[in-house]
Amino acid sequence: MEKSSRIKGAESVLNLEPNSSIAIGYHALFGSHDDLMLLEIDEKLLPDILHERVALRGQLDEDSVLCTQSKTYAIKFVGNSNSPFLVPPSGQFALCENSQDFDGEINDFAPVIKVVPGNMELVEVAPKLDRLKLLLSQNPYSYEDVLEMDFMEDVEKNKARLYNWDDLVERVQASDEELRNGLCALSAVEIDGFWRIVDEKYMDMILRMLLHNSVLNDWSLDALNEDDVVSVLVSDGFPDKLACHCLHVYGSKVDGDVGRSCVWRLDESRVCVHFARQILSTGKKKMETFMAEWLQRIPGRMQASFNMLEGEVLTEKLGVETWVYSFSVSSLPLTPAERFNMLFRERSKWEWKDLQPYIRDLKVPGLSSEGLLLKYTRRTQPTLDAEPVFSSR
């Protein structure tokens, strides 16, 4: 019988009618498929992929992640139990009539050019922002940096340990939006093109001077004119960038402007927490001693409440005395396993009212707070009306 065949592309397979068939054979260019990997994605990610709004990020010693503008995805390889065949579109390659020998007449023939061993899947994950904290904490901006501005040689040496935006993008596995949020959470500021955490002692100097100037100039802490505040702080020897940063860290903008200048209100809770941290930086104190010193340090126009210190301090009973000491959520790891490990090293058992402030900031895609507790803790409740107690799983 005379042999004839019409070589078809992928369209013939995609448009195959029910209860019909098509012959499959090897393409003349069929060969190694190790150079090919398929990526399975959700349709909502397709626009980002097609318009090149994604990037692979990770160092040589890390598993790469795929980042969109706002989310981070782990890349998982999934092997196939079956063997998916890849058939190129018509006209994609020069198709050869002798790609495979067939006995008899073949009406349609789809040539297979590759066999896919598996594919990659994307799983949304939390950004690895602990590395961001580590990088920026190595060289916080301090009063010494201001003094070094007069010695350019020292400034150039210091830059070797500084990171601009591109450096952070290269080193931190996070999307741009998550990276910006991480910088904000660390109260980082861009100085001379480099992102810096400001040393707490230096921030304390700036805040104290701002509060001192507010008394001298009769400024309302609920309506601070940015131009006035920055101008006076600069005259006191602080860089204007840091003067403005102080307002961002301890205040918030209020509606309305005074001329062309922004108006700020100092946040009572943030200011009070700052002074509590300063007092406890030297070690634990008796509750009565701490409260007396705390109330003495905060501005007279502010009201301090111990509830402000949730997630910042812990208390313990030693005999008849109650002691308070610093244990800030901001110092804990952002990965759940490491976070719970540190929490249970600090205390073997936690009541919910004490534990909740230390885990409410944990964000794990696809896992709720209840899911985190089930995964990392054991819950006990002696009676129905008793407070639940959590211990390590």
Side-chain angles (χ1 to χ4, degrees):
M1 181 180 294
E2 183 182 356
K3 182 179 81 170
S4 66
S5 63
R6 293 181 299 169
I7 301 179
K8 301 293 184 180
E11 298 85 352
S12 61
V13 179
L14 294 172
N15 299 325
L16 198 62
E17 296 292 333
N19 301 318
S20 59
S21 61
I22 186 172
I24 298 292
Y26 290 112
H27 193 287
L29 299 179
F30 182 86
S32 171
H33 46 256
D34 294 336
D35 60 340
L36 180 68
M37 186 67 68
L38 296 185
L39 175 64
E40 182 180 351
I41 62 171
D42 190 286
E43 281 193 22
K44 65 183 180 182
L45 290 177
L46 193 56
D48 288 324
I49 299 286
L50 295 178
H51 292 90
E52 300 182 355
R53 294 194 295 260
V54 298
L56 291 174
R57 293 179 180 170
Q59 298 291 292
L60 293 176
D61 59 345
E62 298 175 316
D63 292 330
S64 295
V65 296
L66 184 141
C67 294
T68 65
Q69 293 177 328
S70 60
K71 294 183 179 180
T72 302
Y73 296 87
I75 304 172
K76 308 290 185 181
F77 177 78
V78 180
N80 293 321
S81 56
N82 296 319
S83 297
F85 294 155
L86 293 187
V87 179
S90 299
Q92 184 74 29
F93 297 99
L95 300 178
C96 302
E97 290 289 341
N98 60 351
S99 295
Q100 175 146 348
D101 294 330
F102 290 91
D103 293 329
E105 183 175 334
I106 303 299
N107 291 326
D108 289 316
F109 161 48
V112 175
I113 196 167
K114 294 282 186 180
V115 177
V116 182
N119 62 276
M120 295 182 293
E121 291 183 346
L122 300 180
V123 180
E124 186 180 348
V125 294
K128 296 183 179 180
L129 295 176
D130 278 330
R131 183 167 178 80
L132 175 66
K133 184 193 299 185
L134 175 64
L135 292 173
L136 298 188
S137 298
Q138 293 172 349
N139 190 16
Y141 190 92
S142 64
Y143 182 62
E144 284 69 27
D145 288 87
V146 180
L147 298 179
E148 286 179 0
M149 292 303 294
D150 296 329
F151 303 94
M152 295 308 297
E153 183 178 343
D154 292 335
V155 172
E156 291 303 317
K157 288 181 181 179
N158 231 358
K159 284 185 179 179
R161 297 182 294 140
L162 302 181
Y163 303 94
N164 60 29
W165 173 260
D166 290 339
D167 295 330
L168 295 177
V169 167
E170 181 182 343
R171 289 168 172 79
V172 180
Q173 292 189 329
S175 69
D176 288 359
E177 181 178 311
E178 290 166 332
L179 186 55
R180 290 190 189 95
N181 291 339
L183 290 168
C184 183
L186 292 172
S187 296
V189 57
E190 191 175 18
I191 301 174
D192 297 328
F194 298 99
W195 284 93
R196 311 288 299 274
I197 291 176
V198 183
D199 178 73
E200 285 192 14
K201 292 181 179 179
Y202 191 44
M203 286 301 300
D204 182 59
M205 290 174 58
I206 303 173
L207 177 61
R208 286 174 180 272
M209 186 59 71
L210 189 158
L211 294 172
H212 176 69
N213 289 331
S214 72
V215 174
L216 291 181
N217 296 285
D218 197 25
W219 294 338
S220 169
L221 299 182
D222 292 327
L224 293 170
N225 182 288
E226 180 178 312
D227 286 349
D228 292 342
V229 172
V230 172
S231 175
V232 174
L233 286 176
V234 168
S235 68
D236 290 325
F238 299 103
D240 57 350
K241 189 83 173 183
L242 273 297
C244 192
H245 182 60
C246 182
L247 291 172
H248 280 272
V249 173
Y250 298 110
S252 56
K253 289 183 181 180
V254 297
D255 294 334
D257 293 333
V258 176
R260 298 173 60 184
S261 176
C262 295
V263 177
W264 293 79
R265 174 189 295 117
L266 284 192
D267 185 278
E268 190 172 63
S269 178
R270 286 184 238 168
V271 173
C272 291
V273 167
H274 168 82
F275 286 113
R277 287 175 175 173
Q278 294 297 309
I279 295 169
L280 295 175
S281 63
T282 58
K284 67 175 63 176
K285 292 183 178 289
K286 292 181 180 179
M287 178 66 81
E288 295 80 3
T289 303
F290 165 73
M291 290 300 297
E293 189 172 349
W294 190 32
L295 294 174
Q296 185 178 15
R297 286 205 191 184
I298 63 173
R301 289 164 280 181
M302 291 187 173
Q303 297 292 321
S305 166
F306 198 76
N307 291 334
M308 292 177 174
L309 303 181
E310 280 191 350
E312 290 291 336
V313 303
L314 290 175
T315 60
E316 62 178 349
K317 276 278 192 180
L318 296 176
V320 297
E321 299 283 356
T322 299
W323 291 72
V324 58
Y325 62 97
S326 178
F327 189 71
S328 177
V329 65
S330 63
S331 66
L332 300 180
L334 295 173
T335 53
E338 295 178 17
R339 172 75 62 89
F340 280 99
N341 186 36
M342 285 197 67
L343 289 173
F344 288 119
R345 282 210 307 265
E346 181 65 29
R347 284 183 178 178
S348 60
K349 295 182 179 181
W350 288 78
E351 293 184 358
W352 173 242
K353 63 179 177 62
D354 295 328
L355 179 62
Q356 195 265 347
Y358 290 97
I359 65 171
R360 61 189 171 197
D361 67 312
L362 289 177
K363 305 294 183 205
V364 180
L367 197 60
S368 63
S369 297
E370 292 76 13
L372 284 172
L373 291 173
L374 286 172
K375 185 174 182 179
Y376 294 104
T377 71
R378 284 190 175 92
R379 172 179 170 146
T380 56
Q381 196 170 5
T383 62
L384 290 177
D385 57 347
E387 285 291 326
V389 175
F390 297 89
S391 56
S392 178
R393 180 170 288 281

